Amino acid sequence: MTRIRAAFHTLGCKTNHYETDAIRRQFSQAGFEIVPFDAFAEVYLINTCTVTGEADRKSRQMLRRTRKINPEAIVVALGCLPALGDAALTADIVIGTAGKSLALSKVCSELEFRGIECPKPPILNPIVQADPEAFEEFGPVDHQSETRAYIKIEDGCNNFCTYCAIPLARGRVRSRSREKILEEAGALAAAGYREIVLTGIHICSYGADTGKKSHAVMELAQDLAGIPGIERIRLGSLEPLSLTSAFIRLASVNSKLLPHFHLSLQSGCDSVLARMNRHYRTKEYREVVARLRQSFQNPGITTDVIVGFPGETEAEHQASLDFCQEMGFARLHIFRYSPRTGTRAASFPDPIDPQIIARRSQAMLKLADQLALDFHQRQIGRVMAVLLEKLRPDGLFEGYTPEYVPALVPAEPGMQTGQIVQVTGISATNEFLFCRNANIGCS
């Protein structure tokens, strides 16, 4: 019998990518043939994103594209777009952020309705259910699409920033059980993964729904560090106020925790932060960065910034630029503000003209390039461990240093994707750190 083909496409955050890997694994175990997204398939699954207007547009575009490849295919829209908008016009099956683990059974039901014999789905963990009040468990996702493995430790957010629709789409914080996280980490280590990334919608809230303190994620990281085979632990996006003295102390004594901290900023201007309903101000943010730099020799501190928030004046924009310059970020992720339905900011007065937003974005991008170059140049002469992630056609491996600096390493006999090699930085651009093998050995 010809195997039924399924294709997947993911937009948005690392949590979405993790969930897609989990669903793809279910389909593969059930006997579906997994094919590239632009190939002809009987089933297409698009894990959508709607955090920005551009993400929303791309999600809808991908849903429409499947109809051009195979008009008769079963199209499944998953995630935030179905949770917040109307995806039914372009999809046969619509699943929001809860119930993604039921995609396989829903597809099998649709195939049977169409008179097509469906591969038998695997026996699923009985915890798996479309319950918005509980963490949706997929079971160990021990085969993933990237060299670094991701472990989802929580879902949801309780913050309700005025610009953000994620709490509306994802709901309140739900933490995954420690036992399931450690089980998955062990399976990943056994599968050969050496670096794991803790991901979720708001990982600093891990354990908050069960009464734990904000450094619970650091206690979890300590447990993960004890798993044989796990050599590197990386954290996802962090909230500045969650990095308490206890959090930083536990981080600094964990030898496997990488010195990369993505501290969400959004604006370097206090008045804009207030309108955004962010719960810190630049003074607190500055203090957290100072404590990190006191506790770690060479931390890579990265962040997100929104430009063009409603009412943002030229002076507020300049204040944000100046603060980012002062912080000396290793990398800036820059987003142009776009209103999201259901958020408070969508009805705020004084929206910014798109041309002004574009100009301010370019100014922030120019600063980002300079800051990245400055940080990369400071790595020249240092010996670092790089996880090799991809071999390029030009004979260079791409990978990341512990500080999350993109590195290029010349390929040598015996080197392969997934290895951790010791390198020395020799030159830099704003995009990459160029390295040579330090001949200190590899693992």
Side-chain angles (χ1 to χ4, degrees):
M1 184 180 74
T2 302
R3 295 172 70 193
I4 299 173
R5 291 158 291 194
F8 296 78
H9 186 78
T10 310
L11 298 104
C13 63
K14 295 300 184 182
T15 301
N16 267 8
H17 284 266
Y18 170 90
E19 291 168 347
T20 299
D21 282 338
I23 298 166
R24 184 188 290 111
R25 178 174 176 269
Q26 291 180 345
F27 273 76
S28 178
Q29 289 180 331
F32 286 77
E33 179 184 356
I34 309 301
V35 300
F37 185 73
D38 56 359
F40 187 91
E42 286 75 33
V43 182
Y44 292 92
L45 298 97
I46 298 93
N47 204 352
T48 66
C49 176
T50 186
V51 69
T52 66
E54 180 65 10
D56 190 291
R57 184 191 68 79
K58 287 183 178 180
S59 295
R60 296 179 188 279
Q61 180 185 57
M62 289 300 170
L63 287 166
R64 291 193 297 269
R65 181 181 296 181
T66 60
R67 296 300 187 194
K68 296 180 180 179
I69 302 173
N70 180 7
E72 303 302 319
I74 297 172
V75 178
V76 184
L78 301 159
C80 291
L81 179 62
L84 295 176
D86 184 8
L89 296 177
T90 48
D92 302 294
I93 297 172
V94 175
I95 303 173
T97 54
K100 287 184 180 182
S101 58
L102 303 178
L104 174 59
S105 62
K106 289 180 180 292
V107 166
C108 286
S109 295
E110 179 65 20
L111 286 168
E112 292 168 0
F113 177 77
R114 297 185 182 193
I116 302 171
E117 184 178 354
C118 179
K120 295 299 181 183
I123 298 174
L124 299 179
N125 189 309
I127 296 174
V128 174
Q129 55 184 311
D131 180 359
E133 300 301 321
F135 183 90
E136 187 171 14
E137 180 63 58
F138 289 91
V141 186
D142 54 2
H143 288 83
Q144 300 190 18
S145 57
E146 298 191 39
T147 305
R148 282 172 286 142
Y150 292 83
I151 298 181
K152 181 180 172 184
I153 66 170
E154 69 83 43
D155 206 340
C157 178
N158 298 342
N159 281 0
F160 291 91
C161 300
T162 60
Y163 56 84
C164 185
I166 296 304
L168 305 176
R170 289 272 182 175
R172 296 279 184 166
V173 168
R174 289 97 65 204
S175 299
R176 191 179 187 185
S177 76
R178 173 184 173 277
E179 292 72 24
K180 290 295 182 182
I181 295 170
L182 296 180
E183 177 189 354
E184 181 163 315
L188 289 166
Y193 292 96
R194 294 293 168 258
E195 178 176 321
I196 59 173
V197 185
L198 303 186
T199 190
I201 301 305
H202 195 266
I203 67 168
C204 287
S205 292
Y206 172 74
D209 51 324
T210 58
K212 295 181 180 178
K213 296 181 179 179
S214 63
H215 58 263
V217 67
M218 281 295 91
E219 294 173 344
L220 174 66
Q222 284 183 316
D223 294 336
L224 291 166
I227 295 176
I230 299 298
E231 298 180 33
R232 292 155 62 118
I233 301 170
R234 197 180 294 277
L235 302 176
S237 182
L238 304 168
E239 282 294 309
L241 292 183
S242 296
L243 272 68
T244 61
S245 296
F247 186 109
I248 294 174
R249 177 180 55 80
L250 290 171
S252 65
V253 299
N254 189 332
S255 62
K256 294 185 178 180
L257 185 75
L258 299 180
H260 167 229
F261 302 93
H262 187 85
L263 294 181
S264 182
L265 175 62
Q266 309 309 349
S267 176
C269 175
D270 287 345
S271 53
V272 176
L273 289 173
R275 296 201 300 276
M276 289 178 168
N277 194 35
R278 302 293 287 175
H279 299 159
Y280 54 85
R281 297 296 178 261
T282 52
K283 179 179 183 292
E284 290 94 342
Y285 194 101
R286 184 183 290 109
E287 290 170 351
V288 169
V289 170
R291 288 200 298 270
L292 285 172
R293 288 179 171 150
Q294 289 167 359
S295 301
F296 294 88
Q297 184 178 8
N298 180 53
I301 299 177
T302 59
T303 198
D304 304 311
V305 175
I306 296 173
V307 296
F309 190 73
E312 184 185 62
T313 65
E314 287 296 331
E316 289 173 328
H317 167 64
Q318 187 61 50
S320 194
L321 279 169
D322 292 344
F323 186 75
C324 290
Q325 176 82 63
E326 177 192 347
M327 291 299 96
F329 294 115
R331 181 178 297 184
L332 283 172
H333 296 275
I334 298 152
F335 299 90
R336 300 183 187 188
Y337 172 77
S338 58
R340 313 312 300 141
T341 301
T343 63
R344 288 168 53 197
S347 61
F348 281 6
D350 303 319
I352 309 301
D353 183 275
Q355 290 185 334
I356 294 176
I357 293 178
R359 172 174 57 78
R360 292 178 182 174
S361 177
Q362 286 302 311
M364 195 66 78
L365 285 167
K366 182 179 179 181
L367 174 61
D369 286 344
Q370 184 59 55
L371 292 175
L373 176 61
D374 292 345
F375 189 72
H376 293 178
Q377 287 179 332
R378 292 201 293 275
Q379 314 311 308
I380 295 173
R382 295 184 64 242
V383 176
M384 296 155 285
V386 170
L387 174 67
L388 303 179
E389 300 198 15
K390 181 174 69 174
L391 179 60
R392 307 191 331 173
D394 60 5
L396 296 174
F397 272 104
E398 289 186 18
Y400 285 89
T401 73
E403 299 80 14
Y404 205 59
V405 173
L408 294 179
V409 184
E412 297 181 9
M415 291 171 62
Q416 60 185 0
T417 299
Q419 272 188 319
I420 298 174
V421 299
Q422 299 291 331
V423 304
T424 302
I426 56 174
S427 64
T429 67
N430 65 297
E431 292 184 299
F432 291 104
L433 175 68
F434 295 86
C435 304
R436 61 173 173 80
N437 195 312
N439 295 317
I440 299 179
C442 59
S443 58

